[in-house]
Every structure is written in structure tokens, then in C-alpha cells.
Amino acid sequence: MARAAMAAVEPLVELLIELGVTSPEAESLLRAVFVHKTRDWLARQGGGVSEPSDARVSLVTGVHRNFVRRILAEPPKIADAREQKSNRASRLLQAWHSDSDYIDSSGKPRDLLEKGAKPSFQSLATTYVPSVAPGVVLDQLRRAGLVQTLSENRLRVRGRAYRVHGFTSHGMAELGKRARELLETLRYNLQHPESLRFCDSMREIQIELERIPAVRDLISRRATTFLAGIEHELAIEESKSRRAKRKGRINVGLTIYQTELLPNQE
């Protein structure tokens, strides 16, 4: 069952890779979240009367109680011993802007040959990202728009630090919130089949590939209209509730999202 549940983790792993988070960093962060959530889970199991001991948390998590105490002393985070001080691609970019072998007389980064003796991109990558093949590093920087390919196999740097296009702290927080809500609902429904929370989908219908844009537009328009209608009706109910001065209120919201497979994943 744990192996089957790992499918839910795969998109998260790809996201962490995009962000430049290493496996040791991710593992230490997961361990910290695991320990904190276990303490909360044990507290709920005990009715919240008392806080579970470090020994009980250690027994459930498999983490030594000395580490449990240290982890619980602060919010979940990547362990200092595991944390890379900067993304490896960022270290290379910073070196391209500061290492005397790779800057010109005016202090600007040189245009480098892709391969060859120093100064070249190959020598730069070998020096600052020694554990990864230079070609792999170059592909990553090209996808991020941080390296421009010139004529005669020369490369020009376009930025000082590795950034993933479109990713912001606010956006990541919203992603985490939405993903957590969906997983919590699915987990609840597995455990409580007698009182399911609403989580439904239509059956799959095959369509021609050329019709995908039209179908996507249809779904978007219908979903937008549906959400606007529900919001309007709830606003009317809220107005009635306020006039009646009823006590006890709760936030209600709806989310519709699209999943999409590649054409060869029919």
C-alpha cells in the first residue's frame, strides 16, 4: 500500500528537482514533517489530554528519541547538516561572474567555448559542479534561459542565480495548500466510506486529438459558469444569514482543476 501511495509523491519529487532540492535535503525535510505530524497524530489519538513523549514519537517514526527532541524544538525544515548552502547551478553562475579565469578585463563574464581547456564551460562545470556531467548542467541552464548559445559553440551567461520560471513563495504555498486539501479528502474517504466527502469525476470519454483545444475551452467555460453560479447563491445565503443574525459561521469554497495526459498515454 505504501508503494501504491508513492504515486502521489512523484509530482512533488519532480517539483523539488525543479527547485534544486537534493535528495538528502528532501529526506531531512520529510523526516522533520514526519516527526511533527506524528506528535500531532498521537495527541489526537490520546484525546489531546497530554502531549506524547519523545519516546512514543520515536517508536512510531523510527527516529531516535534524541533526534526527535531536536526536531520538535523548531518548525519542520531541512537539517542544517544536509542543506546545500546554494543550488549547485547557482554556484556555477556566480563563479562565471566572479572567478578571474572566467571574467574579462572589465569584470564581465566571458563568452565560453562549450568544450575544451580552461576557460570553457566544460572546465567551469567540472570545477564547480564536479559530480554532474557538464552536458547535463548545460541542458538545465538552457531550459531555465540562463545560458544563450552563440555561433561556433560559444556560450553566453544570462543571469547570476538559478531561478525556476513562474515559481514564487506565494505560488508554492498555494500549491501546497491545494494538494494537501485534495489528499486529505481522498484519505478521509478511504477511511470513512460510510460518510464520504464529495470528490467525484465523470467517466473518461475518448476524443480526437485535434478536438482537445475545443474541449478544453468547453470545460473551462462550463466550470467558470458553474463556480460563478455557486458563488452567487452562497452570497445570497450569506446575506440572509447576516440579516437573521445567526451565530456560527464557516468558510466554504470550491475548486475545479484539470488533469491532462500526454497523447501517447491514452
Side-chain angles (χ1 to χ4, degrees), residues 137-183:
V137 179
L138 181 57
D139 286 344
Q140 183 180 10
L141 294 176
R142 277 174 170 155
R143 286 198 303 272
L146 291 166
V147 170
Q148 177 185 358
T149 302
L150 306 176
S151 61
E152 300 177 347
N153 295 319
R154 292 179 302 119
L155 304 171
R156 177 171 296 171
V157 64
R158 309 298 295 178
R160 283 180 172 271
Y162 185 78
R163 295 286 185 272
V164 182
H165 177 69
F167 287 2
T168 64
S169 296
H170 175 76
M172 294 301 296
E174 183 67 14
L175 182 152
K177 175 177 178 292
R178 294 288 179 87
R180 181 178 62 191
E181 290 171 348
L182 175 59
L183 287 175

Side-chain angles (χ1 to χ4, degrees), residues 111-116 119-122 151-155:
D111 294 340
L112 303 177
L113 286 173
E114 182 176 339
K115 298 179 180 180
S120 68
F121 182 86
Q122 182 180 26
S151 61
E152 300 177 347
N153 295 319
R154 292 179 302 119
L155 304 171

